[in-house]
Amino acid sequence: MWMLCRTLLIAAFQALHPSRLLVTSFAPPFAVKHALPVQPSFASRKYEKDEETKYSPDLIANEILQNDADPACFVDDDDCLAISSHSSSSSLPRDSALSQSLQRRSQSLLKEKNLRNWMRGRCPTTKVSISRSDAVRRVCMDQYPIVACGSASGSIYLVDLEKQTVLASEEAHIPMQTFETGRTDMKKQAMEELYGKLDGGGVISLAIRENILASSGREGGVKLWKIQSTCRHGQFDDQMQIVSLGSLKALQNTIVTSIKFDSNSLLWVSCFDGTVRSYDISDWQYKYDDHNQPDSSQKKMVPSTKPVHQTDFTASVLDMHLCEELNIGVCATSDGSAALFSLEDGQFFVGIMLFEVAARSVTIVKHDNEGGLSVDMDGRTQFGPGYSVLCGSMDGTIHRISLNIGQSGKLDMNDPFAVTDETETAIRPRHVGPVMCLTSSSDGMFVSGGQDGTLRVWIMEIEANQTYVHGVSEQPLQPQSMVKCTCVYALTGYKLWLGSACISPTGDRLVSDGGENNIIVRDFSEGGSHDGTTL
C-alpha cells in the first residue's frame, strides 16, 4: 500500500513539475531514518556527548520550527521537502494538528533539557550589579529578563538581566529602624520574627505584574508604582520610570510581610497583625499625555481602601503563597502553622500545626499523584497531578503535607490534608538557620533558601510503599505509593542574609539575592560542562 501511495505522489509531482528531478528513497514509511531515539527513564539516562549534540532540543527545534518548508520535515528529508514545497505554494492548508504536535514535542524536549541541567547542577552563573553602595535584599519577577529588586537602603530597582542594566530606580522605603531599649514595639517584634538575628534592612516584600509594582517597607503599608516606558516594536527602551501611584491608607501602620498578584487583578497582602487582604488593582494607573509624561491636569486615581476580601488568623502571618489551580492560598504563621484560605471568598478554612517555632516560608508544589486517584476526562481514566504544601521554619526544618485531591481534580475542602498523627512530614537534611524562601521551578521540583547561605534543589519522586514481614519484603495487599523529597545538591556561596529567590516562567533561570550588591542569576538553559553549584 505504501508503495502505491508513494508512486501516486511522485507521479503527481512530476506532472506539475516536469523539469524537476524528484529524489526518492526506497525506505518504507516506518523506517527509523529520521526517528528520534527512545530514551529510558530520567533516573537511568546516560548521555554521550555526540548523542546529546545530535539530538539536542535546540537543533531539533530549529529543524522543525524554523524550516521554510513544512514544519513536519527534517532538513535532510528530500521527499518531504519537495512535496511540501508544492503544497506550500498551493491553496491547500498545512496540517495544523501535526504542526502543533511538533511544537509540543519541541517544547517537551526543551523542558527535558532544562530538567537534566537542573539535576546535574549545570548552570553558568552571572552577577548583575545594581549599585556600588547598595545591597540587594529582595527580588521578584513576572517575565524574564525584567526583574524588580528591593535594596538595603529601601530603594527599588528595575533591572534587565540580559543586558545587565539598571533600567530605573526609586527611593521607596526607610532603610532601617531604631528602637528604644526595653520598649515593646510591634514593628520591632515583626523584624525579629521575620529575620531573627540577621536583619539586612531595607525592603520587606515586593511583587510585579506587567507594568504595576507593589512594595512594602519597615514604616508599614504598601506602595504602588507604575513602570512607565516607551515601547517600540515590542521592545522596551533602556531607560524607564518608576512612577508612584500612592499607597493604601488602610495599611499605613501595618507591617506587610508578603505581597502577591493573582490573574484576576487582585493584590493579596499578608500582614503581621494576622490578616490577609485583597485589593482590586485594575484602576490603579496614571493618565499620561502624548509626550509620555505625567499630565499635570490629571489627578491620581485613588482606589477604594476597602479590601475585596479579608480574613483573620490567630497569629502573625510571615509568608503567603497563592495556588490558582486549586483556588486556594496558604500562609505561614508565627505560631508554627500552615493555614489554608480560599481565593474565592478570602476566608480561612483549615490549618495544621507543624513547628514549635514560627513557620517562616511556604509554597504549594505540583507533582505526580501519590494516592492513585484518577480523573475522568472525555470518558478516559487518567491519573491527575498531586499537590503538597511545603513549609519552612525558623529552625531550618521543612515539612511536606500532602493535599487531598478528589477525582474531580479539586481539593477536598472538608478534609484537605492527607496526613494523620503518625505521618512523618519533615524532610531532610534541614537548613542550618531559618528557611527564608521556597519556590518551585516545575512539577516535582522546588528550591529552598536559608540563612545558612545556601539554596537547595529538591526533587519529589514517587516510590513504591512496601511492607516487611520477618525482614522479607513482600507486596502490600493494597498497592500504594508515596512522594519522597530528595535534596539533589546545594548551591553555595551566598551571604547569610539570603532572603528571596524566584524562577523564570520557563523554568530555566534561578534568580536570587544574597550576593551583596549583585543579583545572582543561574542559567539552566544551556548547561555545558560548568558546575554551577558554587558562586
Side-chain angles (χ1 to χ4, degrees):
M1 177 61 73
W2 68 267
M3 287 294 294
L4 177 60
C5 295
R6 192 178 188 83
T7 302
L8 292 175
L9 286 172
I10 293 172
F13 178 83
Q14 290 177 340
L16 292 169
H17 302 281
S19 62
R20 290 182 58 184
L21 176 64
L22 178 62
V23 180
T24 63
S25 171
F26 292 97
F30 48 81
V32 295
K33 176 182 177 183
H34 304 299
L36 296 180
V38 178
Q39 301 289 0
S41 65
F42 177 79
S44 62
R45 286 182 193 156
K46 292 183 179 179
Y47 293 90
E48 297 295 335
K49 183 176 181 180
D50 292 341
E51 287 297 310
E52 246 183 54
T53 302
K54 182 178 180 181
Y55 298 110
S56 68
D58 290 338
L59 179 60
I60 294 171
N62 287 335
E63 290 180 355
I64 295 177
L65 300 179
Q66 297 181 8
N67 200 320
D68 291 336
D70 193 313
C73 297
F74 283 88
V75 290
D76 59 344
D77 194 336
D78 300 318
D79 297 346
C80 182
L81 291 173
I83 295 175
S84 65
S85 174
H86 167 68
S87 299
S88 62
S89 61
S90 68
S91 59
L92 294 177
R94 291 189 176 187
D95 189 344
S96 58
L98 178 59
S99 178
Q100 292 174 4
S101 176
L102 290 171
Q103 289 179 7
R104 288 193 297 269
R105 172 60 176 160
S106 177
Q107 292 170 359
S108 175
L109 289 171
L110 292 173
K111 184 177 180 180
E112 183 180 320
K113 177 185 176 183
N114 291 341
L115 179 60
R116 187 164 66 248
N117 290 335
W118 273 96
M119 290 295 293
R120 294 177 175 179
R122 302 299 187 188
C123 51
T125 302
T126 303
K127 299 179 181 180
V128 181
S129 176
I130 63 164
S131 171
R132 292 183 178 181
S133 58
D134 208 353
V136 181
R137 288 292 177 264
R138 305 289 172 264
V139 294
C140 68
M141 181 193 311
D142 183 32
Q143 293 293 330
Y144 186 84
I146 305 301
V147 66
C149 68
S151 72
S153 70
S155 299
I156 53 177
Y157 294 81
L158 197 66
V159 183
D160 188 323
L161 298 180
E162 288 287 351
K163 298 179 180 179
Q164 300 187 28
T165 303
V166 175
L167 303 176
S169 63
E170 188 72 23
E171 295 181 1
H173 305 281
I174 62 175
M176 185 72 81
Q177 282 181 289
T178 57
F179 303 98
E180 297 180 10
T181 304
R183 179 184 174 186
T184 302
D185 189 287
M186 180 170 287
K187 292 182 179 179
K188 177 182 178 181
Q189 181 183 354
M191 297 307 111
E192 292 176 349
E193 291 273 13
L194 287 169
Y195 307 114
K197 297 179 179 180
L198 294 174
D199 184 359
V203 176
I204 295 176
S205 182
L206 74 166
I208 183 173
R209 180 80 175 197
E210 297 179 350
N211 65 336
I212 298 293
L213 178 65
S215 62
S216 65
R218 295 156 189 271
E219 69 277 9
V222 171
K223 293 185 178 181
L224 275 296
W225 313 84
K226 182 168 183 177
I227 302 169
Q228 177 65 20
S229 172
T230 56
C231 184
R232 297 183 178 90
H233 307 293
Q235 298 294 326
F236 286 111
D237 285 350
D238 288 340
Q239 295 299 319
M240 297 184 180
Q241 288 180 303
I242 300 177
V243 183
S244 174
L245 298 179
S247 59
L248 285 173
K249 295 181 180 179
L251 296 171
Q252 187 172 1
N253 296 316
T254 303
I255 296 295
V256 175
T257 58
S258 181
I259 307 172
K260 307 291 181 184
F261 288 105
D262 70 11
S263 60
N264 298 316
S265 297
L266 290 181
L267 174 69
W268 294 80
V269 298
S270 65
C271 306
F272 193 73
D273 65 4
T275 62
V276 169
R277 316 177 197 187
S278 68
Y279 296 88
D280 187 355
I281 63 168
S282 58
D283 290 333
W284 294 3
Q285 58 184 349
Y286 257 115
K287 296 291 185 179
Y288 285 90
D289 62 15
D290 294 337
H291 299 287
N292 213 30
Q293 297 294 330
D295 187 351
S296 58
S297 64
Q298 299 286 345
K299 295 182 179 181
K300 292 181 182 179
M301 298 180 66
V302 180
S304 172
T305 57
K306 184 178 180 180
V308 178
H309 304 114
Q310 179 170 335
T311 187
D312 297 311
F313 296 86
T314 57
S316 300
V317 181
L318 303 185
D319 193 24
M320 172 183 62
H321 175 79
L322 307 181
C323 180
E324 295 192 66
E325 291 177 320
L326 298 179
N327 205 26
I328 62 171
V330 60
C331 291
T333 61
S334 61
D335 63 357
S337 300
L340 301 180
F341 62 94
S342 169
L343 296 184
E344 185 175 349
D345 58 13
Q347 295 304 302
F348 159 79
F349 60 92
V350 71
I352 183 171
M353 185 70 70
L354 298 172
F355 312 101
E356 295 181 358
V357 296
R360 178 60 184 86
S361 54
V362 70
T363 191
I364 294 177
V365 177
K366 182 166 69 173
H367 52 76
D368 291 337
N369 197 317
E370 60 183 322
L373 297 176
S374 60
V375 180
D376 189 1
M377 299 177 63
D378 299 328
R380 297 175 298 176
T381 300
Q382 299 182 354
F383 288 96
Y387 293 84
S388 291
V389 172
L390 291 165
C391 191
S393 74
M394 291 297 287
D395 66 4
T397 307
I398 300 175
H399 283 255
R400 184 190 74 86
I401 308 96
S402 297
L403 294 176
N404 266 329
I405 307 299
Q407 293 188 0
S408 63
K410 297 181 179 180
L411 178 69
D412 184 348
M413 304 292 279
N414 296 319
D415 185 23
F417 295 123
V419 293
T420 65
D421 294 338
E422 290 76 29
T423 304
E424 178 60 41
T425 59
I427 63 176
R428 294 176 176 81
R430 50 174 292 215
H431 281 271
V432 182
V435 183
M436 301 301 293
C437 57
L438 289 163
T439 184
S440 178
S441 62
S442 60
D443 293 359
M445 181 175 285
F446 66 95
V447 176
S448 62
Q451 280 189 353
D452 51 6
T454 67
L455 286 172
R456 298 184 181 180
V457 177
W458 303 76
I459 188 168
M460 304 171 72
E461 299 176 302
I462 295 288
E463 65 174 13
N465 188 18
Q466 295 182 324
T467 60
Y468 294 86
V469 178
H470 302 297
V472 180
S473 174
E474 63 180 16
Q475 294 296 325
L477 295 177
Q478 294 182 346
Q480 295 180 349
S481 60
M482 61 179 296
V483 170
K484 178 182 178 181
C485 294
T486 303
C487 181
V488 186
Y489 55 84
L491 301 167
T492 62
Y494 297 92
K495 301 301 178 182
L496 294 181
W497 47 74
L498 169 70
S500 61
C502 57
I503 298 172
S504 62
T506 53
D508 55 8
R509 288 173 175 83
L510 174 63
V511 180
S512 69
D513 60 73
E516 291 288 2
N517 62 334
N518 298 309
I519 300 172
I520 308 300
V521 185
R522 296 187 183 266
D523 185 358
F524 292 90
S525 65
E526 295 300 329
S529 60
H530 176 70
D531 183 354
T533 56
T534 59
L535 290 180

